[in-house]
């Protein structure tokens, strides 16, 4: 590929941090995780953060902490990574989809309002592609119907909604540090939240339901521990936290670089009749995680073929979750139920977007998109 879909931006600071972490007595959860949690909470504007193994774990643990179980419905968008909906199934709950907004791709508050039933217990809006979801409307619905508001911020560490940072919104916010995310350690995640008692509950839920973690069990004088509820093994280790810490201060600069590429794309594609770009509303600051263009679903795969032939790495975010074989068979979802998610999911292509792209590579992508014959 002339322009790979993604290249990470980790370098000397991260190499140095890993070597330092290997000198510590504790490789698993310890002081570096605590340091990261404090810095990360400050960065996203939340009182507390908890490091976990991945965003899927973050979503699962938050749903458990919110008491979601058998018979409970949780509203999620169909245009997202499968993890958002799967986490509801992991708790025994039922993921109920609601359609997305045609212009932004984000979960539609009106569609959510129409999907609420007496069994609805929570909503998980996704800040899709880095664009913050319509928080004020979701907060009002959550208040009115007594629902837990959990954000999937896997795409959105740096975003802002009406001047508020992403960790200031909702009851819980879940983040991913997966290999291609804006802040990454290969595999990792975090939860931010306001309530300290719930933080301690989440810490336990992500450590088998044990009363003390590994580091405190093996350091100093031995103390007996107990298991007080059934939890999972979702704790973030020090070596991965070490990789994350030096990236935090670079995030604003990296966002500026992605923002500049997005503006070039938007300008260059504005007049093209065979695609549209999604909108970033004026009252939000997008974290610009993915740049997606939307074709007519009838020509999308041909567009992919021509872009790949021109040496452009692309991906698709996302084919709608409700149309996967499992969701159709296990939950009875069908085509036609969520028209906007299906139109975007069926027509979308994500283009390369990362700070290491050279100006020439950005031009190569622009030329290839403008040269499409569909
Ligand atoms: C990446 C992603 C996840 C899952 O993150 P993991 O850290 O891989 O578990 C969840 N939701 C969205 C929207 C994602 O893009």
């Amino acid at each position: 590929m002339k322009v790979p879909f993604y290249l990470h931006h980790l370098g000397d600071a991260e190499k140095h941090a890993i070597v330092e972490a290997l000198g510590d007595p504790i490789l698993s959860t310890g002081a570096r995780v605590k340091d990261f949690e404090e810095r990360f909470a400050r960065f996203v504007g939340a009182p507390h953060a908890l490091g976990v193994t991945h965003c899927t774990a973050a979503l699962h643990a938050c749903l458990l902490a919110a008491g979601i179980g058998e018979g409970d419905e949780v509203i999620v968008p169909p245009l997202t990574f499968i993890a958002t909906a799967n986490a509801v199934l992991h708790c025994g709950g039922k993921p109920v989809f609601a359609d997305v907004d045609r212009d932004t791709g984000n979960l539609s508050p009106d569609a959510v309002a129409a999907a609420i039933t007496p069994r609805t217990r929570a909503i998980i809006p996704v800040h899709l592609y880095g664009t913050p979801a319509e928080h004020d409307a979701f907060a009002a619905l959550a208040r009115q119907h007594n629902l837990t508001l959990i954000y999937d911020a896997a795409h959105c560490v740096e975003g802002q909604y009406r001047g508020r940072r992403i960790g200031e919104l909702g009851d819980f916010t879940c983040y991913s540090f997966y290999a291609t995310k804006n802040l990454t350690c290969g595999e990792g995640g975090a939860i931010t939240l306001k309530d300290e008692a719930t933080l301690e509950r989440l810490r336990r839920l992500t450590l088998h339901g044990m009363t003390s973690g590994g580091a405190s069990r093996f350091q100093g004088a031995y103390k007996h521990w107990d298991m007080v509820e059934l939890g999972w093994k979702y704790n973030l280790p020090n070596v991965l936290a070490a990789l994350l810490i030096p990236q935090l201060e670079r995030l604003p600069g990296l966002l500026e670089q992605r923002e500049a590429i997005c503006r070039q794309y938007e300008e260059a594609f504005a007049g093209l009749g065979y695609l549209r770009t999604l909108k970033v509303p004026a009252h939000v600051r997008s974290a610009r995680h993915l740049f997606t263009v939307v074709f007519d679903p009838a020509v999308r795969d041909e567009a992919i073929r021509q872009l790949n032939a021109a040496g452009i790495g692309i991906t698709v975010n996302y084919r709608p979750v409700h149309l996967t074989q499992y969701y159709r068979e296990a939950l009875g979802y069908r085509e036609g139920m969520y028209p906007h998610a299906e139109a975007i999911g069926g027509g979308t292509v994500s283009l390369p977007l990362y700070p290491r792209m050279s100006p020439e590579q950005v031009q190569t992508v622009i030329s290839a998109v403008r040269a499409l014959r569909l």
Side-chain angles (χ1 to χ4, degrees):
M1 287 290 163
K2 279 190 218 153
V3 189
F5 177 68
Y6 179 80
L7 291 174
H8 72 71
H9 49 79
L10 274 51
D12 288 343
E14 288 74 28
K15 284 183 196 162
H16 182 73
I18 276 280
V19 170
E20 223 180 67
L22 291 178
D24 289 352
I26 302 289
L27 293 176
S28 185
T29 309
R32 284 180 204 270
V33 173
K34 186 161 186 286
D35 184 21
F36 169 71
E37 287 169 346
E38 285 167 8
R39 290 168 193 258
F40 184 72
R42 270 200 303 279
F43 187 91
V44 297
H48 307 290
L50 179 70
V52 293
T53 44
H54 36 70
C55 185
T56 311
L59 291 162
H60 183 199
C62 290
L63 287 164
L64 291 170
I68 306 302
E70 211 64 51
D72 294 331
E73 294 180 357
V74 177
I75 300 177
V76 300
L79 188 66
T80 181
F81 183 57
I82 48 174
T84 320
N86 285 358
V88 180
L89 292 174
H90 293 154
C91 309
K94 180 181 179 200
V96 171
F97 296 104
D99 207 358
V100 300
D101 180 81
R102 180 193 174 274
D103 293 332
T104 64
N106 261 327
L107 185 61
S108 153
D110 290 341
V112 169
I116 291 172
T117 75
R119 288 168 174 262
T120 308
R121 298 282 309 280
I123 317 171
I124 316 180
V126 177
H127 300 308
L128 192 73
Y129 308 141
T131 300
E134 280 309 323
H135 172 69
D136 286 348
F138 292 122
L141 284 172
R143 246 191 332 269
Q144 197 183 337
H145 299 274
N146 196 23
L147 310 174
T148 302
L149 183 53
I150 302 172
Y151 281 108
D152 180 335
H155 297 180
C156 194
V157 171
E158 313 92 330
Q160 292 191 5
Y161 177 84
R162 298 192 191 280
R164 297 166 72 191
R165 282 171 294 165
I166 224 65
E168 298 178 51
L169 318 171
D171 299 307
F172 300 94
T173 302
C174 300
Y175 308 83
S176 173
F177 310 134
Y178 174 70
T180 56
K181 303 288 158 80
N182 294 352
L183 169 62
T184 181
C185 58
E187 298 281 358
I191 300 164
T192 59
L193 71 164
K194 298 193 177 75
D195 181 47
E196 193 159 5
T198 310
L199 171 71
E200 291 318 311
R201 172 92 200 284
L202 279 172
R203 203 185 296 286
R204 216 167 57 208
L205 280 169
T206 54
L207 265 175
H208 281 303
M210 293 167 75
T211 48
S212 73
S216 52
R217 292 202 310 279
F218 299 122
Q219 279 186 318
Y222 177 83
K223 277 202 289 290
H224 290 302
W225 54 267
D226 200 0
M227 173 186 150
V228 293
E229 66 178 324
L230 181 61
W232 277 256
K233 184 65 166 69
Y234 283 161
N235 55 306
L236 184 72
N238 270 353
V239 272
L240 294 183
L243 268 182
L244 295 167
I245 292 168
Q247 292 173 57
L248 283 173
E249 62 189 34
R250 293 208 306 275
L251 288 181
L254 295 170
L255 170 56
E256 291 299 332
Q257 290 175 272
R258 290 194 308 276
E259 181 71 52
I261 298 169
C262 290
R263 301 240 161 152
Q264 280 178 274
Y265 283 162
E266 279 164 356
E267 200 173 310
F269 304 153
L272 300 180
Y274 49 80
L275 63 76
R276 67 182 176 100
T277 56
L278 294 176
K279 293 204 171 67
V280 176
H283 58 275
V284 306
R285 173 96 204 253
S286 174
R288 294 296 202 178
H289 174 56
L290 292 168
F291 191 90
T292 62
V293 291
V294 185
F295 298 93
D296 184 324
V299 300
R300 192 263 306 272
D301 287 1
E302 175 58 19
I304 291 176
R305 199 192 60 74
Q306 291 181 24
L307 289 169
N308 281 166
I312 313 297
I314 65 93
T315 186
V316 168
N317 306 95
Y318 297 92
R319 296 172 71 201
V321 180
H322 70 284
L323 297 182
T324 57
Q325 182 189 331
Y326 182 86
Y327 277 85
R328 286 173 191 261
E329 290 178 2
L331 291 123
Y333 286 107
R334 301 177 310 281
E335 202 157 341
M337 294 175 83
Y338 309 102
H340 293 312
E342 289 171 22
I344 298 173
T348 193
V349 171
S350 302
L351 299 175
L353 174 67
Y354 45 96
R356 278 175 63 191
M357 282 180 85
S358 68
E360 294 72 34
Q361 286 180 313
V362 175
Q363 284 312 318
T364 303
V365 175
I366 288 174
S367 304
V369 171
R370 294 181 61 99
L372 288 170
R373 294 290 168 264
L374 301 169

